[in-house]
Amino acid sequence: MCVVHLPCLKKREVKYYIFFPLGNIIWGSHQPHFFTAKREAQEVTQFAIEVGFRHIDCAHVYQNEEQVGQAIRSKIADGTVKREDIFYTSKLWLTSLRQELVRPALEKSLKNLQLDYVDLYIIHFPLAVKPGEELFPKDENGKLIADSVDLCHTWEALEKCKDAGLTKSIGVSNFNHKQLEKILNKPGLKYKPVCNQVECHPYLNQRKLLDFCKSHDIVLVAYAALGSQRLKEWMNLDLPVLLEDPVLCAIANKHKQTPALVALRYQIQRGVVVLAKSFNKKRIKENIQVFDFELTPEDMKAIDGINRNIRYYEFLPNHMGLLPPHLLRVWWIFSLMGISSPRHNPFLSN
């Protein structure tokens, strides 16, 4: 049974609206680094819990699970919440997709968090790289060192983690419908993915993927729900600014809300769980007000109409130092086919 519920529309049930403690990204000379002011990560997570957030999304690669865990435990200790009130999501990184590495990776996250279990554990990307301590292992030519992994075997290991009580539910992230079908059609499937976390916003509303997920009782979780940070290393700066869209702005003015809240509310009303990433306390508090108003059917239709299939995170693997953007989808396809070693893949020679 899926334990990740669709977000309720009543403020008293904001448990499934998500706070996303990723932090900032500081860019190095060759490869950016995930960097979070760790004390700040703990402070703002505590604040988010205090103002009503109950679903916290994190990951091993963010390198701040220890601080986020401290924040959760402190709010449990002072009586603000109980452990069962918090819905905590963590993610399996690319270096740990081999079947025998899945449980140790989850146990490492649990040790950092000082928690007995996570509520949801998901595969971060359908992409495997060389196992080890390096988050982005590269060869002497600066190319990411791929690993050949059958994601169905990875999924079996996740199922065992669920059976062992280390996670309540299991899911995926950045999967398309064909990659989802590979898991759903796996012989002997014990648990299907409860969710698929993908980029989703009014300029990329993912209607077909959302319909597919709903048809299989898979919850779609939206990241980049407000677009992306305007950093040249992070995105194409020629792309339009989502929150300046005239349709969103007009609807926001009508409801006396911000364009950001309208974009978040849009997702909630179409049955999408939303990631709200912020380290700004004012915005964190503002985001929870998404439950204070409702969009009309005409509003929803108007926002549906601004979909442009714009993917702000087209360059996501590039900013991580992974792949040129035009090879991203090729890599994913080949990794699913088991052809994921650079020396065996002519597409990765450029």
Side-chain angles (χ1 to χ4, degrees), residues 23-164:
N24 298 317
I25 291 184
I26 303 299
W27 302 95
S29 57
H30 297 290
Q31 156 181 325
H33 300 275
F34 281 98
F35 175 83
T36 301
K38 295 187 176 182
R39 182 171 57 185
E40 188 180 11
Q42 181 175 345
E43 179 185 346
V44 296
T45 302
Q46 289 171 334
F47 179 77
I49 293 172
E50 288 167 3
V51 300
F53 286 89
R54 295 294 179 264
H55 190 161
I56 299 172
D57 184 276
C58 204
H60 169 68
V61 73
Y62 304 159
Q63 298 290 283
N64 61 4
E65 286 196 300
E66 183 178 349
Q67 289 70 38
V68 173
Q70 289 171 353
I72 293 171
R73 297 196 314 277
S74 73
K75 300 320 292 180
I76 293 173
D78 70 12
T80 302
V81 291
K82 299 177 181 178
R83 172 63 185 92
E84 57 267 28
D85 296 328
I86 296 294
F87 193 98
Y88 184 86
T89 298
S90 188
K91 305 182 188 74
L92 180 69
W93 187 237
L94 318 180
T95 53
S96 300
L97 295 192
R98 290 186 185 181
Q99 193 170 20
E100 68 274 14
L101 298 178
V102 173
R103 179 165 178 163
L106 175 50
E107 289 175 336
K108 184 174 182 178
S109 282
L110 291 173
K111 182 179 179 180
N112 288 335
L113 292 161
Q114 291 295 294
L115 297 176
D116 295 328
Y117 66 91
V118 297
D119 297 276
L120 175 63
Y121 198 51
I122 64 180
I123 299 174
H124 209 148
F125 286 94
L127 165 69
V129 301
K130 178 185 176 183
E133 292 301 315
E134 289 186 65
L135 294 175
F136 308 101
K138 295 181 179 180
D139 62 20
E140 63 276 8
N141 298 314
K143 293 184 180 294
L144 193 73
I145 304 172
D147 196 24
S148 184
V149 172
D150 186 335
L151 289 176
C152 287
H153 294 161
T154 305
W155 190 254
E156 289 171 2
L158 284 171
E159 290 178 324
K160 291 178 181 178
C161 288
K162 175 174 164 56
D163 285 338

